[in-house]
Amino acid sequence: GENVEQHPSTLSVQEGDSAVIKCTYSDSASNYFPWYKQELGKRPQLIIDIRSNVGEKKDQRIAVTLNKTAKHFSLHITETQPEDSAVYFCAASMNRDDKIIFGKGTRLHILP
Amino acid sequence: GAVVSQHPSRVICKSGTSVKIECRSLDFQATTMFWYRQFPKQSLMLMATSNEGSKATYEQGVEKDKFLINHASLTLSTLTVTSAHPEDSSFYICSAMAGYTGELFFGEGSRLTVL
């Protein structure tokens, strides 16, 4: 089955700097890659997603890139702010109706 | 966006008792719902996929008889932890897939503490 690896597990970034979280997946049939943000004690919230027919997607300060050949996708957050501090999960699934497999998460700390 | 409601948010029970957690999609129909377990500071571990009107599909290592899942309608799925033990204490989260977009919406989660 699908396996999603996520790095780093913890990331500290100075406020205003950029943060990058990287994920790899094992099943080349996967074609949907969402990213979730989970604040302490709260439910995960979808922040951005990408499908395998595009290589990059951007939404304001957040962008995701996908390299299908390398089976690698990344989350980029620019001009980080204190409210960006949270745990971020990448995920992958084979199609819209299939189960989503999550990475282990990255705890992002934005330093003042 | 779509709303998924999960109830109860917190439950404390004695060992040996059963606990039911409900997951409702409030403004959309969800033919597929998922149940996850999350340990402190860890990722979401998929327990099972719940399909309306059919038996749930459990992930390897998840006991079907211990974690009973029912998806009787397009807006409701339930997870029953039977004969709960302290090791079942965890944060359980459901999610529902919106058929029109495939996007996943999460419930608020239920923190189960078994004494």
Side-chain angles (χ1 to χ4, degrees), chain B residues 37-40 85-92 112-115:
Chain B
R37 186 172 178 177
Q38 188 175 34
F39 293 101
H85 292 284
E87 56 266 31
D88 297 326
S89 298
S90 190
F91 194 56
Y92 293 88
L112 170 64
T113 302
V114 184
L115 302 177

Side-chain angles (χ1 to χ4, degrees), chain B residues 24-100:
Chain B
R24 293 180 185 274
S25 57
L26 297 185
D27 51 1
F28 68 99
Q29 294 183 331
T31 54
T32 304
M33 290 186 173
F34 303 91
W35 287 94
Y36 304 84
R37 186 172 178 177
Q38 188 175 34
F39 293 101
K41 298 185 179 181
Q42 293 192 27
S43 187
L44 296 138
M45 184 192 78
L46 180 64
M47 298 174 65
T49 302
S50 170
N51 294 297
E52 186 266 338
S54 63
K55 290 183 179 181
T57 303
Y58 289 81
E59 295 300 302
Q60 192 172 10
V62 178
E63 298 177 59
K64 301 179 183 181
D65 295 332
K66 179 153 192 70
F67 299 100
L68 300 179
I69 291 173
N70 184 284
H71 194 157
S73 76
L74 287 171
T75 59
L76 174 64
S77 176
T78 60
L79 167 68
T80 301
V81 183
T82 63
S83 187
H85 292 284
E87 56 266 31
D88 297 326
S89 298
S90 190
F91 194 56
Y92 293 88
I93 304 179
C94 71
S95 66
M97 185 165 281
Y100 51 92

